[in-house]
Amino acid sequence: MEKFIRERQRRWLSAIEKTGAMLVTHSPNVRYLTGFTGSAGVLAAADGKLAFFTDGRYTTQAREQVVGAKIAVKKKPALRSALEWLVSRRSTQVAIEAEHVTVEQSTAIQKSLKEIGTKMRLVPQCGVVQRLRTIKDADEIGRIRDAVALASSCLDRALAAIAPGTPEGDVAAQLEYACRMAGAEGMSFDTIVAGGVRSALPHGVASRTPLPKHGFVVLDYGVILAGYCSDMTRTVHIGRPTVKERAIYEAVLEAHEAAKAAVRPGVTCGEVDAAARKVLTRAKLEKYFTHSTGHGVGLEIHEPPRIGKKQDDLLAAGMVITIEPGVYLPGEGGVRIEDMVLVTDNGFETLTPTPKSLVTL
Ligand SMILES: [Mn+2]
């Protein structure tokens, strides 16, 4: 673990060489770069030196977890202490996480800088640590594999709970209970169980609506294990599917496989998305595919890269992404099929072991 964190810090320091100093406040980024799992910690870098700031609640945890940074536990807010440290190291400018620093934090930073009496400049930058996080190291890939395996092993518990008249929420409850009992720290987002006409809602979070006698049920869920998220979707059918329903399912599955087949280092995210769309266009279903094909997954459930239309970010070995095309016919029903995929040196590896042929219940 420690050697992985030191390597992440090395990559981070070289990424911020130009600005020289940076403040990291977004907790998944702090965790990635230090190992600290608490919610209140600030990491600062200046001239190749790292310092971690937190408050009294986290003294023990910080000493146990933080790797490769000087630890400072102060009575003052961590952000204020970090700014004072940066000024003491004669930083003239400091990068901040533009997409995470709130207006309130920004105002507090400006006020602190005035009180300290420094001319140190703030340089808002986007995605500095997130870009590093797109490429998973061996420690992260191991954790992701474990999370994916755990979630996948619990699907049967949800399927066993599916029956006409059963509220979607009961199915979600059984599934989540099974995941927790299998060791999950939590779910990585609100579990989606969407039956019948509700399966046409791409984000049909499990409701009290009873499942129908006939129709699709979309199950989209993930767990958090050792800090890392998993994400998968399976669509099953209650009762015998109609010819049209079967055709929709097969088209989505074909789009899923086509998108995966496009995955390899050097292709753009847009090309992977286009591969799924091409199949659905041929099936005259593309206009019902209303979201992007996938996203990165790691410490957070949605991370870069985004596998969407015209995205020209390049895939690289070590990225972990989802492939999840879907088709949603309003008032009728919907199908989504989602696996997690590791980008390898010469293509991809499907991480999700669950079969994808249509299950009827
Ligand atoms: Mn997803």
Side-chain angles (χ1 to χ4, degrees):
M1 179 70 190
E2 190 170 329
K3 72 169 186 185
F4 291 106
I5 290 175
R6 288 186 190 276
E7 175 59 20
R8 294 171 200 170
Q9 292 173 346
R10 232 179 34 77
R11 291 170 62 218
W12 178 48
L13 288 173
S14 76
I16 62 169
E17 219 161 21
K18 215 170 138 212
T19 322
M22 182 166 182
L23 262 180
V24 176
T25 47
H26 183 54
S27 55
N29 289 343
V30 172
R31 177 172 185 161
Y32 177 76
L33 290 170
T34 63
F36 180 72
T37 60
S39 55
V42 173
L43 179 65
D47 277 338
K49 294 267 179 303
L50 270 55
F52 173 83
F53 301 86
T54 189
D55 59 65
R57 290 171 298 167
Y58 291 111
T59 313
T60 312
Q61 191 177 341
R63 297 206 192 292
E64 279 173 9
Q65 294 181 327
V66 173
V67 169
K70 175 178 107 94
I71 300 165
V73 181
K74 307 265 176 164
K75 286 224 169 63
K76 289 181 208 173
L79 200 51
R80 170 66 181 243
S81 312
L83 289 167
E84 289 175 2
W85 180 78
L86 286 165
V87 170
S88 78
R89 299 212 51 97
R90 298 180 205 289
S91 302
T92 54
Q93 53 177 3
V94 57
I96 54 169
E97 302 181 282
E99 74 278 48
H100 299 299
V101 173
T102 63
V103 174
E104 189 184 22
Q105 283 174 324
S106 168
T107 309
I109 293 173
Q110 299 291 357
K111 188 166 164 253
S112 289
L113 293 181
K114 212 178 249 168
E115 285 167 7
I116 299 167
T118 170
K119 291 212 169 60
M120 187 170 71
R121 232 166 28 89
L122 298 183
V123 186
Q125 289 182 354
C126 262
V128 177
V129 184
Q130 259 93 341
R131 261 192 296 282
L132 303 175
R133 282 172 47 198
T134 60
I135 312 283
K136 271 65 182 176
D137 60 36
D139 177 75
E140 296 183 285
I141 291 169
R143 290 172 194 239
I144 291 170
R145 281 186 196 282
D146 292 344
V148 168
L150 188 157
S152 188
S153 74
C154 295
L155 178 64
D156 283 348
R157 286 286 293 278
L159 298 188
I162 290 179
T166 301
E168 294 168 351
D170 288 13
V171 177
Q174 292 290 344
L175 175 60
E176 294 182 6
Y177 182 74
C179 289
R180 290 299 294 250
M181 291 303 283
E185 288 156 15
M187 306 307 286
S188 46
F189 55 91
D190 287 342
T191 298
I192 291 174
V193 177
V197 291
R198 293 193 78 256
S199 63
L201 308 172
H203 271 245
V205 171
S207 70
R208 294 313 300 164
T209 309
L211 293 172
K213 284 198 185 68
H214 182 279
F216 284 120
V217 183
V218 172
L219 301 119
D220 184 353
Y221 68 103
V223 299
I224 305 170
L225 187 61
Y228 282 77
C229 297
S230 76
D231 193 2
M232 70 180 282
T233 307
R234 287 295 180 269
T235 302
V236 299
H237 198 277
I238 303 178
R240 188 213 275 261
T242 63
V243 171
K244 183 183 176 187
E245 286 171 327
R246 218 172 254 291
I248 291 169
Y249 190 91
E250 290 309 319
V252 173
L253 184 54
E254 199 190 322
H256 175 106
E257 300 296 359
K260 254 188 203 169
V263 171
R264 63 181 174 279
V267 303
T268 66
C269 292
E271 287 173 87
V272 174
D273 182 78
R277 272 173 219 287
K278 194 175 158 196
V279 172
L280 293 174
T281 301
R282 224 190 305 125
K284 300 194 166 51
L285 292 169
E286 199 274 335
K287 69 171 165 171
Y288 302 109
F289 176 23
T290 46
H291 52 74
S292 44
T293 296
H295 54 88
V297 187
L299 284 167
E300 293 174 277
I301 184 63
H302 292 118
E303 300 186 351
R306 196 166 82 79
I307 318 298
K309 262 186 201 166
K310 299 194 177 113
Q311 293 288 310
D312 44 20
D313 289 341
L314 298 178
L315 290 184
M319 287 181 172
V320 174
I321 58 172
T322 67
I323 295 294
E324 49 176 311
V327 161
Y328 312 93
L329 302 183
E332 295 184 50
V335 173
R336 179 167 63 257
I337 305 171
E338 175 181 30
D339 276 350
M340 276 172 62
V341 161
L342 169 67
V343 183
T344 60
D345 288 333
N346 22 8
F348 69 93
E349 178 194 335
T350 298
L351 300 177
T352 313
T354 310
K356 288 181 285 289
S357 50
L358 181 55
V359 171
T360 58
L361 300 165

